[in-house]
Amino acid sequence: MMILRSSPASPFGRKVKIAAAVLGLSDRIEVAGTDTGDAEGPLRKENPLGKIPVLIDQGKAIYDSRVILEYLDHLAGGGKIVPAGAARFDALVLQALADGILDATILRVYEVRHRPEERRHPGWVEYQAGKVERGLAALEASPPPPVSGRPHVGQIAVACALGYLDLRFEGAWRKDHPKLAAWLDGFAKAVPAFEATRFKG
Ligand SMILES: N[C@@H](CCC(=O)N[C@@H](CS)C(=O)NCC(=O)O)C(=O)O
């Protein structure tokens, strides 16, 4: 049995859960709830960066989410969610864009969660928000290919990024990005694991 260290609301952990589901590997993975603020638990020994998700397989720690998705694809025989050939780089760049949107969104969330109000820096928050806005604009101008059958890593990552914006910013992105909203609806229909992994806290 592999262990996935994650938390229910983690969008990067959600990438791994969706990937495992579409590859038929979910029953080989046990999810262990993990608090990234816990200095004494195993997380910081397994991943010195103290970030989730981490996948433990036979005592070996695998991170970050991109590497875990690649690893699960390898376990499933390869070329399933990480396409082979030229399509590989389109999928990986799409994943990098979606992960970058997530990184910037998470920094905005942490600014409020971890920094006292008088020490917040609006210019820095706007700088992060700009990354999200430009990323969403690029995706609206050129939405990911619709999902038919199994999604690839780029499509999984975009769905998790949009799902996280829904969770933390009440779906405000939807109004100005109708094509992307329609794309996400299509993803949700094609990939039941998306709804199944939604954080309902
Ligand atoms: N590049 C990493 C990002 C992971 C990440 O930012 N995880 C967040 C939770 S969703 C985290 O662990 N935050 C705690 C911290 O940054 O210390 C990945 O793809 O897995």
Side-chain angles (χ1 to χ4, degrees):
M1 203 65 166
M2 294 179 272
I3 297 169
L4 174 65
R5 296 209 195 285
S6 189
S7 74
S10 166
F12 290 105
R14 191 179 187 185
K15 283 174 62 188
V16 176
K17 290 172 191 166
I18 293 173
V22 302
L23 291 168
L25 294 170
S26 301
D27 57 359
R28 288 175 57 187
I29 299 176
E30 185 184 309
V31 181
T34 304
D35 172 7
T36 52
D38 175 9
E40 306 306 322
L43 177 66
R44 295 184 188 183
K45 294 183 189 74
E46 292 160 349
N47 175 2
L49 304 174
K51 294 191 180 200
I52 51 172
V54 177
L55 184 75
I56 313 294
D57 189 14
Q58 294 171 36
K60 192 182 171 78
I62 296 161
Y63 57 89
D64 58 4
S65 68
R66 294 179 220 200
V67 182
I68 299 173
L69 265 51
E70 184 95 35
Y71 185 69
L72 295 179
D73 189 62
H74 159 78
L75 289 183
K80 302 249 164 53
I81 57 168
V82 186
R88 174 182 174 86
F89 296 98
D90 286 346
L92 291 178
V93 170
L94 188 61
Q95 175 172 226
L97 176 61
D99 283 2
I101 290 173
L102 269 178
D103 284 334
T105 305
I106 284 178
L107 287 177
R108 289 189 63 191
V109 170
Y110 287 177
E111 180 78 2
V112 173
R113 192 180 292 167
H114 295 298
R115 204 181 278 264
E117 196 154 2
E118 67 280 5
R119 294 182 59 195
R120 284 183 206 147
H121 180 11
W124 188 86
V125 173
E126 274 161 33
Y127 184 69
Q128 298 305 328
K131 294 178 193 292
V132 178
E133 272 164 33
R134 292 191 303 273
L136 289 175
L139 289 169
E140 177 69 11
S142 175
V147 176
S148 57
R150 198 166 22 219
H152 64 52
V153 290
Q155 294 163 317
I156 293 171
V158 170
C160 291
L162 298 176
Y164 192 64
L165 288 170
D166 276 339
L167 176 67
R168 297 295 185 219
F169 293 91
E170 286 147 8
W173 63 275
R174 288 172 175 269
K175 188 168 70 67
D176 293 332
H177 305 91
K179 286 191 213 148
L180 205 46
W183 178 86
L184 187 62
D185 288 346
F187 183 95
K189 283 198 188 82
V191 184
F194 184 66
E195 191 50 46
T197 54
R198 186 185 297 280
F199 176 63
K200 300 177 186 85

